[in-house]
Amino acid sequence: MSGQEITFDEVAATANRLVNNGLPVTVGALRDAFGMASLSSVHTHLAAWRASQTKPAEAIKVDIPESITAALVSWAQQLAEEARTGLRDGLAQADGDLTSLLHLNEQLEADHDELRAQLAKVAEDRDQALATLAECDAHIERLTIELQHARDTASNALVGKAKDQLAIEGKDAQLAELRLQLERNVAASSAESDARLTAEMELVGAVTARDNLAAEVKELRTQLDGCRAGRRAL
């Protein structure tokens, strides 16, 4: 993120207001005034404004000998050159500090973007886990309905078969067949119970995955808030 772009007129107006209020005109003061403005834009426009505020020195007209005038001019030029040298050194140091600050700001913005991308990925994984959990719930519900239907079918089949056997065979043969049918029904019910237990275990795993993802989302949000607080401290 590069921040909001601003114009020279906006920077100049804010700088003049700070001067009128007796406050120093710095990059930090202007950044605070504009909020999330681009540091590079603030620095560029501030340098242009400072250059526009510099007034050329007026020549002093005095009636003095030419030799003295030449010496004074040479002395003044030397002083001006020394002042310009000091000013250039100061500006170079300020530019270096600003470059370092801009680099740090860009790094923080990059970290912020990376955390946001990680948070989006965790949210996507969480949504997928929730969708999987919903599918497991639906599958369990279908298995429950199928199990009940199988039980009803088995019961109806046992009743019908029992009636047919009672009409054909004696009581002992009927009881033996009923016992066989009951054993088969118990085996089928056991298999269906195992399938239901497997589905329930899958549901528990999905719920655990969902809780883990929620914890990761919370941790990433805490890291994101820490980065935001660090950037505001700058």
Side-chain angles (χ1 to χ4, degrees), residues 139-140 143 191-204:
H139 183 60
I140 290 174
L143 287 177
E192 292 174 351
S193 297
D194 292 340
R196 183 175 182 179
L197 178 60
T198 300
E200 290 177 350
M201 293 299 294
E202 292 176 353
L203 175 60
V204 170

Side-chain angles (χ1 to χ4, degrees), residues 23 30 36 39-40 59-60 95 105 107 111 120 122 127 153 166 170 176 182 184 187 207 211 227 232-233:
L23 299 174
L30 292 175
M36 295 301 295
L39 279 177
S40 60
I60 301 176
D95 287 340
N105 182 70
Q107 183 63 39
D111 293 342
V122 170
D127 293 338
T153 300
L166 286 174
L182 286 173
R184 291 175 180 174
V207 170
D211 293 339
C227 287
R232 286 195 295 269

Side-chain angles (χ1 to χ4, degrees), residues 142-183:
R142 287 196 301 271
L143 287 177
T144 302
I145 295 174
E146 291 175 0
L147 177 61
Q148 185 61 42
H149 179 69
R151 287 177 176 174
D152 294 340
T153 300
S155 298
N156 293 334
L158 285 175
V159 172
K161 189 66 176 179
K163 289 180 179 180
D164 293 340
Q165 292 296 327
L166 286 174
I168 297 173
E169 298 177 342
K171 185 176 181 181
D172 292 338
Q174 178 186 6
L175 290 174
E177 182 63 23
L178 285 175
R179 186 178 296 108
L180 179 61
Q181 291 288 342
L182 286 173
E183 289 175 355

Side-chain angles (χ1 to χ4, degrees), residues 12-40:
T14 303
N16 290 330
R17 185 169 63 253
L18 291 173
V19 171
N20 293 334
N21 293 333
L23 299 174
V25 181
T26 62
V27 174
L30 292 175
R31 179 68 184 272
D32 293 339
F34 289 110
M36 295 301 295
S38 170
L39 279 177
S40 60

Side-chain angles (χ1 to χ4, degrees), residues 52-66:
S52 68
Q53 299 300 306
T54 303
K55 297 180 180 180
E58 297 180 356
I60 301 176
K61 296 181 180 181
V62 293
D63 295 331
I64 56 179
E66 183 177 350

